[in-house]
Amino acid sequence: MNSNKFSVSDSELDPAKLPAHVAIIMDGNGRWAKKRLFNRIIGHEKGVETVRTIIRACHDTGIPNLTLYAFSTENWQRPKYEVNALMILLSKFLKNDRQEMKDKSIRFNAIGQLDRLPKKVRHDIEQTKSFTRDGDAMQLNLALSYGGRSEIVDMVKAISKKVLDGQLDPETISDSLVSQHLYTARLPDPDLLIRTSGEMRISNFLLWQIAYSEIYITDTLWPDFKRDEFIYILKQFEGRNRRFGKVAET
């Protein structure tokens, strides 16, 4: 790709048109490593650097919510050595970066089947959440042991229990009630979904929440995804005509 294509500065962005919530499927770490004849773990380590870059870019441009798809329910099926390495990288990130999050007033959160994570990782998550709980400039959400279908199943179970217990009239179940019982209950739905590595699929990510998200897919592998391309995508988002099923005004 010609890097000149992404020559858009932060000052060219319109704050009024920025997405309130960006969600990213971070894909391509393994292929990045394979192309260079590296171990896959090197690709994941490089990917953590990109995570930092994009968090800082969101903070600097004033985007209040960022959700990163870090580890899916399906990822548990990967080789044990790779899963263990990913958990170690996650713990290191949480411990090494929580001070910067606090300094930048970034509140950390995690969504998914967190009980499946190793005890040490769960501890580091809770420590980071507590340490950054007063952050009000931005919220960073890591989707960990996350699956969109599992989230919907958990939502159905929670609502069904309330109906069976007589706490809820099934006739009152609405879109907003469903949203309140998802892992993302206190978050706005993503305005923009980005996927790196060129794959044309959603991969079981935020299936309910992305109903009207604008989607941008780039061929860039995650470790090569830079701030300038992210800013360029934000500029492209500004030009999207979001009709939400309605007819565009003339």
Side-chain angles (χ1 to χ4, degrees), residues 70-217:
F71 191 86
S72 73
T73 49
E74 292 75 21
N75 287 157
W76 289 113
Q77 301 173 50
R78 292 188 176 188
K80 188 174 181 179
Y81 83 90
E82 184 173 352
V83 171
N84 289 341
L86 286 167
M87 294 299 122
I88 291 170
L89 283 173
L90 174 58
S91 282
K92 284 183 178 179
F93 168 77
L94 292 171
K95 289 187 287 187
N96 294 342
D97 288 62
R98 63 172 63 128
Q99 186 62 55
E100 181 176 351
M101 292 184 211
K102 186 180 181 71
D103 292 344
K104 292 182 180 295
S105 197
I106 297 173
R107 184 171 62 255
F108 173 79
N109 188 41
I111 61 172
Q113 296 179 337
L114 304 182
D115 58 314
R116 297 181 65 182
L117 297 170
K119 183 177 180 180
K120 182 181 186 308
V121 174
R122 297 198 305 270
H123 173 77
D124 291 334
I125 286 172
E126 290 306 314
Q127 288 286 308
T128 305
K129 286 174 65 175
S130 176
F131 192 67
T132 64
R133 65 181 179 272
D134 295 326
D136 58 6
M138 172 185 161
Q139 178 161 311
L140 167 65
N141 311 287
L142 290 189
L144 299 166
S145 188
Y146 174 89
R149 288 184 173 182
S150 298
E151 178 180 31
I152 290 171
V153 169
D154 287 346
M155 172 273 295
V156 171
K157 288 178 179 177
I159 291 178
S160 297
K161 186 176 187 305
K162 289 185 177 180
V163 171
L164 289 172
D165 291 346
Q167 300 175 29
L168 182 65
D169 180 350
E171 292 300 319
T172 65
I173 297 173
S174 61
D175 284 8
S176 60
L177 184 75
V178 168
S179 294
Q180 291 165 24
H181 287 79
L182 296 173
Y183 303 152
T184 54
R186 289 176 289 279
L187 286 170
D189 289 342
D191 299 297
L192 174 62
L193 172 68
I194 299 171
R195 180 171 189 141
T196 59
S197 88
E199 299 290 353
M200 300 289 183
R201 55 178 176 266
I202 301 303
S203 295
N204 199 20
F205 185 47
L206 300 178
L207 299 179
W208 173 275
Q209 297 90 333
I210 63 171
Y212 283 101
S213 301
E214 294 296 315
I215 298 176
Y216 193 101
I217 296 176

Side-chain angles (χ1 to χ4, degrees), residues 29 183 204 222 225 248:
N29 290 345
Y183 303 152
N204 199 20
W222 179 248
F225 190 64

Side-chain angles (χ1 to χ4, degrees), residues 42-53:
I42 303 297
H44 294 309
E45 291 174 347
K46 186 71 174 177
V48 174
E49 296 177 19
T50 302
V51 167
R52 294 188 178 102
T53 296

